[in-house]
Amino acid sequence: MSELPYVTLSSATSLDGYLDTADPPRLTLSNKEDSDRVDGVRAHSDAILVGARTVRRDNPRLLVRSPAHRTRREAAGLPHSPWKVTVTTTGDLDPRAAFFTTGEIPKLVYCPTSAAARIRQNLGDSALVVGLGAEVEMRELVADLADRGIRELMVEGGATVHTQFLAANLADELHLVVAPLFVGDSRAPRFVGDAAFPWAGDRRATLADVRQIGDVVLMRYALSTRFAAHDAAHTPWHSGPPVGIGIP
Ligand SMILES: NC(=O)c1ccc[n+]([C@@H]2O[C@H](COP(=O)([O-])OP(=O)(O)OC[C@H]3O[C@@H](n4cnc5c(N)ncnc54)[C@H](OP(=O)(O)O)[C@@H]3O)[C@@H](O)[C@H]2O)c1
């Protein structure tokens, strides 16, 4: 079995810990400078994972935007943007969503094995659909990505996905941005849901870095023993060339 990918969780919340508003339109939490930083983290990744509800609600492209980052990746023999990965049980995904239609890069959809045939029929050749047993466990998902050559995985939410990665102790690093506004509506999604997290009670996470970026603050947490070596190998922070896989 291949070594599990290095997993970076990336999220932005309001001051009261929400990822978004309860109703459309989508809430903008990041600012331009921070979006550029996130683009740099994307550029350093082999794959980006979001939950199916984020695909439905936000219709994200999940592409590297910066021409400089794209050029650097391509010079290193990589696709201009990381693979896109999502996970679903219902299979309620529109093949016309930007997730599927943008970027000539592999798109993977993980689902329970029982749903795979139906989802394949819906999505056609816009994605590779991977059935992973009775229920999709994130540990099995990242192991499958590792077997496909993914070494750096960025997880961009939403709450359901972040919760599972954290509770299963699969995250090596967390980037949490706090924006200077409140949502004030408990119907809205919080950063994470209820779970037994490894960092609770006496066990505290390690704060590795705090940075003001315009009007937001970025907190970077080291969540695994792999953090230090990874950090040392990737200085300056996320501005070096990507180290991951080639074109499949
Ligand atoms: N501020 C930020 O940084 C940020 C980033 C991303 C998203 N968001 C926001 O977060 C909200 C979405 O978060 P969310 O928690 O509602 O949804 P989510 O985590 O994006 O997606 C949840 C969905 O993913 C699928 N899923 C998750 N785990 C699964 C598993 N183990 N097996 C099979 N399927 C699984 C299910 O899809 P099916 O329902 O299809 O079965 C589930 O309903 C949106 O409002 C979005 O705007 C904010």
Side-chain angles (χ1 to χ4, degrees):
M1 200 179 78
S2 318
E3 187 180 353
L4 294 185
Y6 188 89
V7 175
T8 300
L9 303 192
S10 176
S11 192
T13 73
S14 61
L15 283 171
D16 48 350
Y18 290 102
L19 288 179
D20 196 2
T21 47
D23 306 304
R26 192 191 174 201
L27 180 66
T28 300
L29 290 158
S30 212
N31 56 32
K32 164 83 173 70
E33 201 181 339
D34 186 55
S35 297
D36 289 345
R37 176 196 62 81
V38 171
D39 198 52
V41 182
R42 279 186 182 173
H44 194 79
S45 305
D46 297 321
I48 302 174
L49 169 74
V50 296
R53 211 174 299 143
T54 294
V55 174
R56 290 193 287 269
R57 162 122 182 168
D58 299 351
N59 195 23
R61 290 156 50 92
L62 300 179
L63 299 175
V64 172
R65 288 195 324 261
S66 150
H69 286 318
R70 283 178 171 235
T71 302
R72 197 159 47 220
R73 285 180 61 97
E74 287 175 336
L78 302 172
H80 60 72
S81 295
W83 293 15
K84 303 186 208 180
V85 181
T86 191
V87 57
T88 180
T89 297
T90 64
D92 180 11
L93 290 166
D94 186 342
R96 292 164 302 179
F99 179 97
F100 298 108
T101 56
T102 61
E104 294 286 309
I105 43 178
K107 292 110 189 177
L108 273 68
V109 176
Y110 287 94
C111 64
T113 305
S114 57
R118 178 174 48 84
I119 296 172
R120 242 174 240 132
Q121 198 170 18
N122 174 37
L123 294 178
D125 57 8
S126 55
L128 177 67
V129 177
V130 183
L132 268 192
E135 284 181 10
V136 179
E137 299 289 337
M138 289 304 169
R139 186 166 293 278
E140 287 175 30
L141 187 157
V142 292
D144 186 81
L145 286 175
D147 288 344
R148 294 174 192 274
I150 299 297
R151 285 156 51 190
E152 300 274 340
L153 174 64
M154 182 180 185
V155 179
E156 293 204 41
T160 313
V161 166
H162 282 322
T163 303
Q164 292 170 79
F165 271 84
L166 289 165
N169 211 356
L170 287 169
D172 295 286
E173 170 166 354
L174 167 64
H175 299 175
L176 186 61
V177 162
V178 178
L181 50 86
F182 292 86
V183 169
D185 181 348
S186 61
R187 294 176 306 135
R190 284 194 181 276
F191 163 47
V192 288
D194 295 349
F197 294 107
W199 307 273
D202 290 345
R203 186 162 176 222
R204 297 159 80 94
T206 303
L207 181 62
D209 193 9
V210 180
R211 197 194 303 176
Q212 181 174 351
I213 304 175
D215 66 351
V216 305
V217 63
L218 166 68
M219 291 168 285
R220 187 171 170 232
Y221 290 92
L223 300 182
S224 81
T225 52
R226 298 199 292 182
F227 175 88
H230 184 272
D231 194 43
H234 297 88
T235 48
W237 181 24
H238 295 306
S239 63
V243 294
I245 54 170
I247 296 167

